[in-house]
Amino acid sequence: MPTISVTRDVLYERLGKTFTDEDFEDECFGFGIELDDIVEENNVVKFKIDIPANRYDLLCVEGLSRAMNVFRDRMVVPKFTVVPGKEKLIVDDSVSGVRPYSVAAVLRDMKFTEESYNSFILLQDKLHQNIGRERSLVSIGTHDLDTIQGPFTYQALAPEQIKFQPLNQDSVMTAPEMFEKFRQTYLKPYLQIIEGKPLYPLITDANGVVLSLPPIINGEHSKITLDTKNVFIEVTACDRAKCRIVIDTICSMFSEYCSTPFTCESVTVESSSGSVQTPPMKYQTMECSAAQLCTKGGITGLTPDSVADHLTKMFLPSKAVGEQVTVEIGPTRHDVLHQCDVEEDLAIAYGYNNITEQVPNLNTIGAEQECNKLSDAIREELARAGFTEVLTFSLCSRDDISTSLRNGKALEEAVQIANPKSNEFQVVRTSLLPGILKTASCNRKMPLPLKLFEVSDVVFKSEDTETGSKNQRKICALFSGKTSGFEVVHGLLDRIMLSLSEKNYSIRASEESMFFTGRGADILLGTEKIGHLGILHPEVLENFEISLPCSVLEMSLEPFV
Amino acid sequence: SSAIKSLLALPGEYIKAEQKQVSCWELTGEGKSFVDNGSYEYILFNSVPKEGIFQKDLMKLPNAKIGFSKAMTLGWISIDKKAEGGPTVFRKVETAEDEVVKVLNSISEQKSVPDKVIQDVKKRKLISPVVTKFYKVTKGPGFSTTIQRPEADLTAEMLQDGSWKSKTFKDYNFAARGAPMTSGYLHPLLKVRAEYRRIFLDMGFSEMPTAQFVENGFWNFDALFQPQQHPARDAHDTFFISDPALTKEAKFPSDYLERVKTTHEKGGYGSTGYDYDWKVVEAQKNILRTHTTAVSARMLYKIAQQPEFKPVKMFSIDRVFRNETLDATHLAEFHQIEGVVADRNLNLGHLIGILHTFFKKLGIEKLKFKPAYNPYTEPSMEIFSYHEGLKKWVEIGNSGIFRPEMLLPMGLPADVNVIAWGLSLERPTMIKCGINNIRELIGPKVNLNMVQDFPICRVNKA
């Protein structure tokens, strides 16, 4: 969930009301946002507010306060207009291999204050972080239009050919030189988005002045200051839909500061596939039946007119004609994909806590999964036999299931994790033993003998399943004391088979290196091996830091389900 | 005295005993040798002949120093320092009475001696005080010449030979604890799980088959209408599998896959879609499932393939995996609880109703709902309950109605809505039991004493 930071007093001024912290929290609750934290930075009180991840129009104080004012009937939903502009952005085919999409817009005759300037920068940061996926999908460059001259060119060039003075640096550098410098700075994580590619994207003006090297850095030449009046916005991306969402968001958020509020100027974007005016700033209409809009929310008693009013409060200006409601979905509501999004907004405006509860009139008979039912019964038997249940992790290290258990072959049948953050998450366990042994090791001070068990899933690779892997429900028990207690786990096996009404089992001596010489055996069901039991080899005990002899039993429960 | 103490300890007063003490003086070893041999000064005096004796010779006697000094003080001897041949000692009196031995004898015979005299002799360490403790014993009301030992326990033999009638029994210490039971125990978290399973079964829900930790991107994300460039599909949130890395494309139902692809890319079913290029390889990637909703999706797809739609109520409680940063309340694996109801014309009112029913069985009656966002549900609601202890509203779960883009490509009828809700098993257990660190509840570091001492789980009681 994205979090934005807004200055409390600026927000309250825009809302036209000073709330108490508690009242504001209530206001947020009903709207679907959350006041996460209140902090003081340089004697200024800031609110940290959690915003739903799909609401790009709430990512800055401008958009948030506007939406809340409309919600509280203090403001009419503004209509955004795009005025045809003279500027042109020529997109060269060379960018298709590195960062294919690009749009642009102009905000004419802006008046920045320090507050709105900071907000402008912050919004770009938020969009970069969230929808831009840390700039890898979308990045933004904003420039002082009066310092540059169109038409602008977006192309990709060899790194050494790129040479300009980057933002906040005092000398001209080539791209490779810049990258070396930026490796030591906050820009480091973005370098790998284009590093290594034969061509780097670049936006220049008619005189060859570099506007930006997306997604890394803008040029110092065209940087925006508090005195900037005319802003040129360029957005480059690897995702065409997100590219449009980003420029629509910036334009709809900040065009309020233009001399003609809520107006922006279009830029003609020319490429080999044709010519298009951007920003799109499109309006869609959805024709719905008022009754149908109410059904999802379980809402009753609203006339089509009040349905329209409720939706308008949610920044979806609507009009009712008879039973039909026409909903206007503008460039701030890219989150609306389907009528269900409108239905949710209607329910929010109505108030979730005002909806009458109904219990679904549905009679069904409950049922359990047989494997779980049997597992629970076996767990009861094991507890009655005097064993204490443990609950351990499915993920473990490679060593845990192989070398530590003196079982070299285990890794061949184990599911391996590609991106473990530590070696505790290298594989999915194929045996319950590592977990139960670690528990025994951590609980050295318990009175002896220690009797533990676990009934849980392990995972094996498997040719005949959809994903190539399969869960297996296993029983594992351990006895640890001054003596090995082999006869106890053997007795437990007999007890388990008795509870499963199984007579056709036997034990056959085995040579498994996990067990002490001559003290290990396979458990057979008919002729099939379903498990094993024995006294653990002293090296295994050493690997798990256990200083007392242990006998263990592990078998599959699957044949009995 | 130990005999007396044992007698006193017997029930039924055999004897009465009063402890007393008396002090007197006793001769030390030195004192005794004075009585036997005479005091040092007396011996020394008798060693001085009529004609006198050189001091240096006299002083060769044992204890001569003390004896000489005492004899001089008593006026029994004198010394001529200028005598010819060296300082010479002479008798000053003819005979002497060994007074100190007289005193010691008196003391020995328990005769009374003035205090000052006693102090002098005590100073010379010739006597030492002695305290004698003794019991004054008298017959008690229960006196008998034979002792009957009290029994600790009623035994089989006593029952057999009837001797229990004539025996006395020791008092039982009711203040001490009883013997600890040796027993087996079930794990606390699984006791709570059993309660949640019962609640679902009581409400007529059927358990979904969730014994499948490895899932693929298709069922975990794509079938749920979660787009492929979504942050939740990132390597830093999800565990990807390196072996086996991919599900074979042929394993997916091919026409359903096409419908999912089209819905993501272009929309349809009333949706605008996401407008991006959907890649099948992302769907093939195997992961450790991030939610059991993947299983719910599989089940709903199966239901949609039935010739006639039948409404269902389904649940699951099983492990899910998140590759997030770990802290005191977050682990890489935890248990998710999920409930799903699919029927015609369900709405938010029904969702709120069933949530009230479900949480009421957990003893929670006050609920509040908050708008939320979930890629696969719309509308979505976060569920809050009022925590009496913390005196505030706490989030206890998430819920919503599945999006049409998820249900319609499966082939479910257009008027079928699916409501669902989920919560974690660990979080409410930790809150209820006051456990702050999740590793005290699950994993090898759990204290087995906690497991053994954990009470019966009654989720509906505060």
Side-chain angles (χ1 to χ4, degrees), chain A residues 475-507:
Chain A
I475 300 170
C476 183
L478 170 141
F479 178 104
S480 176
K482 292 276 185 223
T483 58
S484 75
F486 189 13
E487 68 286 357
V488 176
V489 299
H490 186 178
L492 187 67
L493 172 65
D494 294 335
R495 175 81 226 155
I496 291 171
M497 291 304 186
L498 188 65
S499 349
L500 293 170
S501 304
E502 184 57 63
K503 295 203 172 97
N504 190 19
Y505 74 97
S506 61
I507 302 180

Short mmCIF file of all heavy atoms in Angstrom, two decimals, chain A residues 475-507:
data_model
loop_
_atom_site.label_atom_id
_atom_site.label_comp_id
_atom_site.label_asym_id
_atom_site.label_seq_id
_atom_site.Cartn_x
_atom_site.Cartn_y
_atom_site.Cartn_z
N ILE A 475 4.04 -38.69 9.04
CA ILE A 475 4.08 -38.74 10.50
C ILE A 475 5.56 -38.85 10.87
O ILE A 475 6.29 -39.62 10.26
CB ILE A 475 3.40 -40.01 11.04
CG1 ILE A 475 1.94 -40.07 10.61
CG2 ILE A 475 3.52 -40.08 12.56
CD1 ILE A 475 1.30 -41.41 10.92
N CYS A 476 5.95 -38.07 11.90
CA CYS A 476 7.33 -38.20 12.38
C CYS A 476 7.31 -38.18 13.90
O CYS A 476 6.59 -37.37 14.50
CB CYS A 476 8.19 -37.06 11.84
SG CYS A 476 9.92 -37.15 12.30
N ALA A 477 8.06 -39.09 14.54
CA ALA A 477 8.12 -39.10 16.00
C ALA A 477 9.56 -39.26 16.44
O ALA A 477 10.37 -39.87 15.73
CB ALA A 477 7.27 -40.23 16.57
N LEU A 478 9.87 -38.72 17.61
CA LEU A 478 11.24 -38.77 18.11
C LEU A 478 11.23 -39.11 19.60
O LEU A 478 10.38 -38.62 20.34
CB LEU A 478 11.93 -37.42 17.89
CG LEU A 478 13.29 -37.21 18.57
CD1 LEU A 478 14.23 -36.45 17.64
CD2 LEU A 478 13.17 -36.45 19.86
N PHE A 479 12.17 -39.94 20.02
CA PHE A 479 12.38 -40.24 21.44
C PHE A 479 13.82 -39.90 21.75
O PHE A 479 14.72 -40.33 21.05
CB PHE A 479 12.11 -41.73 21.71
CG PHE A 479 12.35 -42.12 23.16
CD1 PHE A 479 11.28 -42.32 24.01
CD2 PHE A 479 13.64 -42.27 23.67
CE1 PHE A 479 11.49 -42.68 25.34
CE2 PHE A 479 13.86 -42.63 24.99
CZ PHE A 479 12.78 -42.84 25.83
N SER A 480 14.04 -39.14 22.80
CA SER A 480 15.41 -38.81 23.17
C SER A 480 15.57 -38.89 24.68
O SER A 480 14.74 -38.37 25.42
CB SER A 480 15.73 -37.40 22.69
OG SER A 480 17.01 -37.02 23.11
N GLY A 481 16.60 -39.59 25.14
CA GLY A 481 16.77 -39.72 26.58
C GLY A 481 18.15 -40.24 26.91
O GLY A 481 19.06 -40.23 26.08
N LYS A 482 18.31 -40.74 28.12
CA LYS A 482 19.61 -41.30 28.52
C LYS A 482 19.90 -42.56 27.69
O LYS A 482 21.05 -42.92 27.45
CB LYS A 482 19.58 -41.67 30.02
CG LYS A 482 19.50 -40.45 30.91
CD LYS A 482 20.89 -39.87 31.16
CE LYS A 482 20.79 -38.73 32.14
NZ LYS A 482 21.60 -37.58 31.75
N THR A 483 18.81 -43.28 27.33
CA THR A 483 18.98 -44.42 26.43
C THR A 483 18.24 -44.10 25.14
O THR A 483 17.44 -43.17 25.10
CB THR A 483 18.39 -45.69 27.05
OG1 THR A 483 17.01 -45.44 27.33
CG2 THR A 483 19.12 -46.07 28.33
N SER A 484 18.49 -44.90 24.11
CA SER A 484 17.98 -44.54 22.79
C SER A 484 16.48 -44.66 22.65
O SER A 484 15.88 -44.01 21.82
CB SER A 484 18.65 -45.41 21.73
OG SER A 484 18.08 -46.71 21.78
N GLY A 485 15.86 -45.54 23.41
CA GLY A 485 14.41 -45.69 23.33
C GLY A 485 13.91 -46.27 22.03
O GLY A 485 12.78 -46.03 21.62
N PHE A 486 14.72 -47.07 21.36
CA PHE A 486 14.32 -47.67 20.08
C PHE A 486 13.03 -48.47 20.24
O PHE A 486 12.13 -48.42 19.41
CB PHE A 486 15.46 -48.54 19.55
CG PHE A 486 15.26 -49.04 18.14
CD1 PHE A 486 14.28 -48.52 17.31
CD2 PHE A 486 16.07 -50.06 17.63
CE1 PHE A 486 14.10 -48.99 16.01
CE2 PHE A 486 15.91 -50.52 16.33
CZ PHE A 486 14.93 -49.99 15.52
N GLU A 487 12.96 -49.22 21.36
CA GLU A 487 11.78 -50.06 21.56
C GLU A 487 10.52 -49.20 21.72
O GLU A 487 9.41 -49.65 21.42
CB GLU A 487 11.96 -50.99 22.76
CG GLU A 487 12.00 -50.33 24.13
CD GLU A 487 13.30 -49.59 24.41
OE1 GLU A 487 14.22 -49.63 23.56
OE2 GLU A 487 13.39 -48.95 25.46
N VAL A 488 10.70 -47.94 22.16
CA VAL A 488 9.54 -47.05 22.32
C VAL A 488 9.01 -46.63 20.96
O VAL A 488 7.79 -46.69 20.70
CB VAL A 488 9.91 -45.82 23.17
CG1 VAL A 488 8.72 -44.86 23.23
CG2 VAL A 488 10.34 -46.23 24.58
N VAL A 489 9.88 -46.16 20.05
CA VAL A 489 9.37 -45.75 18.73
C VAL A 489 8.86 -46.96 17.96
O VAL A 489 7.92 -46.87 17.19
CB VAL A 489 10.37 -44.92 17.89
CG1 VAL A 489 10.75 -43.64 18.59
CG2 VAL A 489 11.58 -45.69 17.49
N HIS A 490 9.49 -48.12 18.19
CA HIS A 490 8.99 -49.35 17.58
C HIS A 490 7.58 -49.61 18.09
O HIS A 490 6.65 -49.93 17.33
CB HIS A 490 9.94 -50.50 17.91
CG HIS A 490 9.58 -51.77 17.22
ND1 HIS A 490 10.33 -52.92 17.34
CD2 HIS A 490 8.57 -52.09 16.40
CE1 HIS A 490 9.78 -53.88 16.63
NE2 HIS A 490 8.70 -53.42 16.04
N GLY A 491 7.40 -49.48 19.42
CA GLY A 491 6.07 -49.68 20.01
C GLY A 491 5.08 -48.67 19.48
O GLY A 491 3.91 -48.96 19.25
N LEU A 492 5.54 -47.44 19.24
CA LEU A 492 4.67 -46.40 18.70
C LEU A 492 4.20 -46.78 17.29
O LEU A 492 3.03 -46.59 16.94
CB LEU A 492 5.39 -45.06 18.67
CG LEU A 492 4.51 -43.86 18.27
CD1 LEU A 492 3.45 -43.59 19.34
CD2 LEU A 492 5.36 -42.61 18.06
N LEU A 493 5.11 -47.34 16.51
CA LEU A 493 4.74 -47.79 15.16
C LEU A 493 3.64 -48.83 15.24
O LEU A 493 2.64 -48.75 14.52
CB LEU A 493 5.96 -48.36 14.44
CG LEU A 493 5.67 -49.04 13.08
CD1 LEU A 493 5.16 -48.01 12.07
CD2 LEU A 493 6.91 -49.74 12.54
N ASP A 494 3.81 -49.80 16.16
CA ASP A 494 2.79 -50.83 16.32
C ASP A 494 1.45 -50.20 16.71
O ASP A 494 0.40 -50.59 16.20
CB ASP A 494 3.22 -51.83 17.39
CG ASP A 494 4.44 -52.64 16.99
OD1 ASP A 494 4.68 -52.77 15.76
OD2 ASP A 494 5.17 -53.12 17.88
N ARG A 495 1.52 -49.23 17.59
CA ARG A 495 0.31 -48.52 18.06
C ARG A 495 -0.36 -47.80 16.89
O ARG A 495 -1.59 -47.82 16.76
CB ARG A 495 0.75 -47.53 19.13
CG ARG A 495 -0.28 -46.61 19.68
CD ARG A 495 -1.14 -47.25 20.73
NE ARG A 495 -2.52 -46.92 20.44
CZ ARG A 495 -3.56 -47.64 20.82
NH1 ARG A 495 -3.38 -48.74 21.50
NH2 ARG A 495 -4.78 -47.25 20.53
N ILE A 496 0.45 -47.11 16.05
CA ILE A 496 -0.10 -46.38 14.89
C ILE A 496 -0.80 -47.35 13.95
O ILE A 496 -1.93 -47.10 13.52
CB ILE A 496 1.03 -45.63 14.13
CG1 ILE A 496 1.56 -44.48 14.97
CG2 ILE A 496 0.51 -45.10 12.79
CD1 ILE A 496 2.81 -43.82 14.41
N MET A 497 -0.16 -48.46 13.65
CA MET A 497 -0.75 -49.43 12.72
C MET A 497 -2.02 -50.02 13.29
O MET A 497 -2.98 -50.27 12.55
CB MET A 497 0.27 -50.53 12.40
CG MET A 497 1.44 -50.05 11.57
SD MET A 497 0.88 -49.28 10.04
CE MET A 497 2.44 -48.99 9.23
N LEU A 498 -2.04 -50.22 14.59
CA LEU A 498 -3.24 -50.73 15.24
C LEU A 498 -4.38 -49.73 15.08
O LEU A 498 -5.51 -50.11 14.73
CB LEU A 498 -2.94 -50.97 16.73
CG LEU A 498 -4.00 -51.68 17.55
CD1 LEU A 498 -4.16 -53.11 17.03
CD2 LEU A 498 -3.58 -51.72 19.01
N SER A 499 -4.09 -48.43 15.29
CA SER A 499 -5.15 -47.42 15.14
C SER A 499 -5.61 -47.30 13.70
O SER A 499 -6.72 -46.85 13.44
CB SER A 499 -4.74 -46.03 15.60
OG SER A 499 -3.56 -46.02 16.30
N LEU A 500 -4.73 -47.64 12.75
CA LEU A 500 -5.13 -47.57 11.33
C LEU A 500 -5.73 -48.89 10.86
O LEU A 500 -6.00 -49.06 9.66
CB LEU A 500 -3.90 -47.22 10.47
CG LEU A 500 -3.33 -45.81 10.67
CD1 LEU A 500 -1.98 -45.67 9.96
CD2 LEU A 500 -4.30 -44.77 10.13
N SER A 501 -5.92 -49.81 11.78
CA SER A 501 -6.44 -51.15 11.45
C SER A 501 -5.59 -51.83 10.39
O SER A 501 -6.10 -52.48 9.49
CB SER A 501 -7.88 -51.06 10.91
OG SER A 501 -8.70 -50.41 11.81
N GLU A 502 -4.29 -51.65 10.48
CA GLU A 502 -3.41 -52.19 9.45
C GLU A 502 -2.58 -53.34 10.02
O GLU A 502 -1.80 -53.15 10.94
CB GLU A 502 -2.47 -51.08 8.95
CG GLU A 502 -1.57 -51.50 7.82
CD GLU A 502 -2.35 -52.02 6.63
OE1 GLU A 502 -3.12 -51.24 6.03
OE2 GLU A 502 -2.21 -53.23 6.31
N LYS A 503 -2.76 -54.55 9.44
CA LYS A 503 -1.98 -55.69 9.92
C LYS A 503 -0.87 -56.06 8.96
O LYS A 503 0.10 -56.71 9.34
CB LYS A 503 -2.91 -56.90 10.09
CG LYS A 503 -3.94 -56.72 11.17
CD LYS A 503 -4.45 -58.08 11.68
CE LYS A 503 -5.34 -57.87 12.88
NZ LYS A 503 -6.77 -57.88 12.52
N ASN A 504 -1.00 -55.61 7.70
CA ASN A 504 -0.07 -56.05 6.65
C ASN A 504 1.18 -55.18 6.58
O ASN A 504 1.56 -54.67 5.53
CB ASN A 504 -0.81 -56.03 5.31
CG ASN A 504 0.00 -56.68 4.22
OD1 ASN A 504 0.91 -57.44 4.49
ND2 ASN A 504 -0.33 -56.36 2.98
N TYR A 505 1.85 -55.00 7.74
CA TYR A 505 3.08 -54.22 7.70
C TYR A 505 4.21 -55.02 8.31
O TYR A 505 3.96 -55.98 9.06
CB TYR A 505 2.90 -52.90 8.45
CG TYR A 505 2.88 -53.03 9.96
CD1 TYR A 505 4.02 -52.80 10.71
CD2 TYR A 505 1.70 -53.39 10.61
CE1 TYR A 505 4.00 -52.92 12.10
CE2 TYR A 505 1.67 -53.52 11.98
CZ TYR A 505 2.81 -53.28 12.73
OH TYR A 505 2.79 -53.42 14.09
N SER A 506 5.42 -54.65 7.98
CA SER A 506 6.57 -55.34 8.56
C SER A 506 7.77 -54.40 8.60
O SER A 506 7.74 -53.33 8.01
CB SER A 506 6.91 -56.57 7.72
OG SER A 506 7.22 -56.16 6.40
N ILE A 507 8.79 -54.84 9.31
CA ILE A 507 10.00 -54.04 9.43
C ILE A 507 11.16 -54.87 8.89
O ILE A 507 11.27 -56.06 9.19
CB ILE A 507 10.28 -53.70 10.90
CG1 ILE A 507 9.09 -52.96 11.50
CG2 ILE A 507 11.51 -52.84 11.01
CD1 ILE A 507 9.31 -52.60 12.95
#
